[in-house]
mmCIF file of all heavy atoms in Angstrom:
data_model
loop_
_atom_site.group_PDB
_atom_site.id
_atom_site.type_symbol
_atom_site.label_atom_id
_atom_site.label_comp_id
_atom_site.label_asym_id
_atom_site.label_seq_id
_atom_site.Cartn_x
_atom_site.Cartn_y
_atom_site.Cartn_z
ATOM 1 N N GLU B 216 -12.785 46.550 -27.912
ATOM 2 C CA GLU B 216 -14.001 46.771 -27.120
ATOM 3 C C GLU B 216 -14.048 48.193 -26.573
ATOM 4 O O GLU B 216 -15.096 48.835 -26.579
ATOM 5 C CB GLU B 216 -14.085 45.751 -25.992
ATOM 6 C CG GLU B 216 -14.415 44.353 -26.464
ATOM 7 C CD GLU B 216 -14.379 43.324 -25.352
ATOM 8 O OE1 GLU B 216 -14.504 43.704 -24.164
ATOM 9 O OE2 GLU B 216 -14.225 42.128 -25.678
ATOM 10 N N PHE B 217 -12.901 48.687 -26.070
ATOM 11 C CA PHE B 217 -12.878 50.046 -25.531
ATOM 12 C C PHE B 217 -13.030 51.084 -26.641
ATOM 13 O O PHE B 217 -13.866 51.987 -26.548
ATOM 14 C CB PHE B 217 -11.575 50.296 -24.757
ATOM 15 C CG PHE B 217 -11.481 51.696 -24.207
ATOM 16 C CD1 PHE B 217 -12.066 52.012 -22.992
ATOM 17 C CD2 PHE B 217 -10.821 52.703 -24.904
ATOM 18 C CE1 PHE B 217 -12.001 53.300 -22.480
ATOM 19 C CE2 PHE B 217 -10.743 54.001 -24.399
ATOM 20 C CZ PHE B 217 -11.332 54.301 -23.187
ATOM 21 N N TRP B 218 -12.225 50.971 -27.692
ATOM 22 C CA TRP B 218 -12.196 52.010 -28.724
ATOM 23 C C TRP B 218 -13.392 51.977 -29.659
ATOM 24 O O TRP B 218 -13.644 52.945 -30.375
ATOM 25 C CB TRP B 218 -10.871 51.978 -29.478
ATOM 26 C CG TRP B 218 -9.769 52.480 -28.598
ATOM 27 C CD1 TRP B 218 -8.796 51.740 -27.985
ATOM 28 C CD2 TRP B 218 -9.562 53.829 -28.170
ATOM 29 N NE1 TRP B 218 -7.994 52.556 -27.213
ATOM 30 C CE2 TRP B 218 -8.439 53.836 -27.310
ATOM 31 C CE3 TRP B 218 -10.207 55.037 -28.422
ATOM 32 C CZ2 TRP B 218 -7.959 54.991 -26.709
ATOM 33 C CZ3 TRP B 218 -9.722 56.195 -27.837
ATOM 34 C CH2 TRP B 218 -8.621 56.161 -26.997
ATOM 35 N N GLU B 219 -14.208 50.906 -29.626
ATOM 36 C CA GLU B 219 -15.476 50.923 -30.364
ATOM 37 C C GLU B 219 -16.455 51.905 -29.732
ATOM 38 O O GLU B 219 -17.346 52.420 -30.410
ATOM 39 C CB GLU B 219 -16.107 49.534 -30.383
ATOM 40 C CG GLU B 219 -15.603 48.659 -31.490
ATOM 41 C CD GLU B 219 -16.367 47.354 -31.598
ATOM 42 O OE1 GLU B 219 -16.840 46.817 -30.573
ATOM 43 O OE2 GLU B 219 -16.477 46.869 -32.732
ATOM 44 N N THR B 220 -16.289 52.162 -28.433
ATOM 45 C CA THR B 220 -17.230 53.021 -27.712
ATOM 46 C C THR B 220 -16.610 54.337 -27.237
ATOM 47 O O THR B 220 -17.264 55.098 -26.528
ATOM 48 C CB THR B 220 -17.794 52.267 -26.489
ATOM 49 O OG1 THR B 220 -16.712 51.931 -25.613
ATOM 50 C CG2 THR B 220 -18.539 51.014 -26.918
ATOM 51 N N HIS B 221 -15.349 54.603 -27.610
ATOM 52 C CA HIS B 221 -14.659 55.834 -27.218
ATOM 53 C C HIS B 221 -13.866 56.373 -28.400
ATOM 54 O O HIS B 221 -13.522 55.620 -29.314
ATOM 55 C CB HIS B 221 -13.675 55.576 -26.067
ATOM 56 C CG HIS B 221 -14.330 55.240 -24.785
ATOM 57 N ND1 HIS B 221 -14.859 53.993 -24.521
ATOM 58 C CD2 HIS B 221 -14.540 55.988 -23.678
ATOM 59 C CE1 HIS B 221 -15.387 53.993 -23.308
ATOM 60 N NE2 HIS B 221 -15.205 55.178 -22.774
ATOM 61 N N ALA B 222 -13.552 57.651 -28.347
ATOM 62 C CA ALA B 222 -12.675 58.256 -29.346
ATOM 63 C C ALA B 222 -11.882 59.374 -28.686
ATOM 64 O O ALA B 222 -12.328 59.972 -27.705
ATOM 65 C CB ALA B 222 -13.477 58.809 -30.524
ATOM 66 N N ASN B 223 -10.710 59.642 -29.234
ATOM 67 C CA ASN B 223 -9.937 60.806 -28.819
ATOM 68 C C ASN B 223 -10.638 62.052 -29.322
ATOM 69 O O ASN B 223 -11.584 61.977 -30.111
ATOM 70 C CB ASN B 223 -8.521 60.739 -29.399
ATOM 71 C CG ASN B 223 -7.691 59.649 -28.766
ATOM 72 O OD1 ASN B 223 -7.844 59.335 -27.593
ATOM 73 N ND2 ASN B 223 -6.817 59.056 -29.553
ATOM 74 N N TRP B 224 -10.172 63.191 -28.918
ATOM 75 C CA TRP B 224 -10.751 64.448 -29.372
ATOM 76 C C TRP B 224 -9.622 65.403 -29.737
ATOM 77 O O TRP B 224 -8.490 65.239 -29.320
ATOM 78 C CB TRP B 224 -11.654 65.069 -28.303
ATOM 79 C CG TRP B 224 -10.925 65.419 -27.043
ATOM 80 C CD1 TRP B 224 -10.586 64.570 -26.026
ATOM 81 C CD2 TRP B 224 -10.393 66.697 -26.684
ATOM 82 N NE1 TRP B 224 -9.889 65.239 -25.058
ATOM 83 C CE2 TRP B 224 -9.752 66.545 -25.432
ATOM 84 C CE3 TRP B 224 -10.402 67.938 -27.300
ATOM 85 C CZ2 TRP B 224 -9.130 67.597 -24.783
ATOM 86 C CZ3 TRP B 224 -9.773 68.999 -26.646
ATOM 87 C CH2 TRP B 224 -9.156 68.825 -25.404
#
Side-chain angles (χ1 to χ4, degrees):
E216 288 175 22
F217 179 85
W218 289 106
E219 275 187 328
T220 61
H221 292 77
N223 290 327
W224 62 279

